[in-house]
Amino acid sequence: MNWLLDLTPDEWNAVRLSIKVATVAMLASLPPGILIALLLARGQFWGKTLLNGLVHLPLILPPVVTGYLLLLTFGKRGPAGAFLAEHFGIVFSFRWTGAALACGVMGFPLMVRAIRLSIEAVDRKMEAAAGTLGANPYWVFATITLPLMLPGLIAGAILSFAKAMGEFGATITFVSNIPNETQTLPSAIYTFTQVPGGDEGALRLTLISIVISMAALVASEVLARRVGRRMDIE
């Protein structure tokens, strides 16, 4: 069984890159995720249904389609990609940053839904009471709404991370499968399945993927419960 732990340098690079990409995707998605969740949970505006549909579209579309749309938009010749590359030097296509973008987009609906549900569960009377005492909306959000929605925020962030760890279709379409640059765990596993004698490498990385994803989900559950119990005590 020692061969299960005997990873090659390229396999270690795929593991490290996957964790890096998933972490960046999760952290970058949090601010817009909270904002969109607030809009969907509390906002009353024309186009709310359309916005909700756009947010959840990556869950319905084939991942390859999402990746191709990202390539058209954020590729070097795409409108957003050309602008970012020319004015800020930011390049997404065929870079690990593009893998993070693709993973963030694919995990965004899961994050928004979890946060939205937690916001909708917040007691509006507590916020109204704080407002009558003179607290401004930003202070009310920071001291009442945010702590109460924290379990959902943690759950959404971890779900986004876990989704990013397993993302394949959109990533390989947008940034290809370049070793040490864009080759994440799913891409590395796919590569091993296409070469003779690659079964052991594919199995090693598969087991690592399962362990990391399960650890993330368990951590999400434990953190959410601890935060919830602490809030009940307070």
Side-chain angles (χ1 to χ4, degrees):
M1 296 295 291
N2 290 334
W3 62 271
L4 286 173
L5 302 176
D6 189 20
L7 271 66
T8 66
D10 286 341
E11 291 170 6
W12 276 117
N13 286 334
V15 174
R16 285 192 291 265
L17 181 62
S18 292
I19 295 175
K20 176 183 177 181
V21 165
T23 302
V24 171
M26 177 190 67
L27 294 177
S29 298
L30 272 176
I34 294 173
L35 177 61
I36 296 297
L38 275 170
L39 286 174
L40 293 177
R42 299 285 180 83
Q44 297 294 333
F45 55 92
W46 183 88
K48 181 178 178 179
T49 302
L50 178 61
L51 176 61
N52 185 60
L54 289 174
V55 168
H56 290 87
L57 197 59
L59 289 179
I60 303 171
L61 286 176
V64 173
V65 174
T66 302
Y68 182 62
L69 292 174
L70 288 173
L71 184 61
L72 291 177
T73 305
F74 292 96
K76 290 184 178 180
R77 296 182 180 180
F83 176 82
L84 291 172
E86 180 179 353
H87 293 86
F88 300 100
I90 300 175
V91 178
F92 288 109
S93 57
F94 307 109
R95 301 282 181 87
W96 75 267
T97 51
L101 175 62
C103 290
V105 169
M106 295 301 295
F108 194 69
L110 299 176
M111 175 182 287
V112 170
R113 181 166 181 80
I115 297 175
R116 177 185 179 180
L117 292 175
S118 67
I119 294 173
E120 291 175 344
V122 172
D123 189 353
R124 300 293 297 271
K125 294 180 181 178
M126 297 179 63
E127 297 174 322
T132 59
L133 295 175
N136 64 59
Y138 299 104
W139 184 253
V140 172
F141 175 81
T143 59
I144 296 178
T145 310
L146 186 59
L148 290 175
M149 61 181 270
L150 195 56
L153 193 151
I154 294 173
I158 300 300
L159 283 174
S160 174
F161 177 88
K163 174 64 176 177
M165 286 295 300
E167 173 51 38
F168 174 70
T171 303
I172 200 170
T173 304
F174 183 33
V175 296
S176 189
N177 183 14
I178 306 172
N180 302 324
E181 180 64 37
T182 65
Q183 190 177 74
T184 57
L185 276 171
S187 301
I189 293 170
Y190 172 77
T191 299
F192 275 121
T193 63
Q194 302 303 304
V195 297
D199 293 342
E200 288 187 1
L203 181 57
R204 282 196 296 269
L205 295 184
T206 297
L207 293 176
I208 290 174
S209 298
I210 293 173
V211 169
I212 294 175
S213 298
M214 283 301 298
L217 292 174
V218 170
S220 169
E221 186 70 18
V222 171
L223 287 173
R225 287 184 178 181
R226 285 185 178 180
V227 171
R229 284 199 297 265
R230 183 177 301 175
M231 291 174 58
D232 290 338
I233 294 174
E234 295 176 353

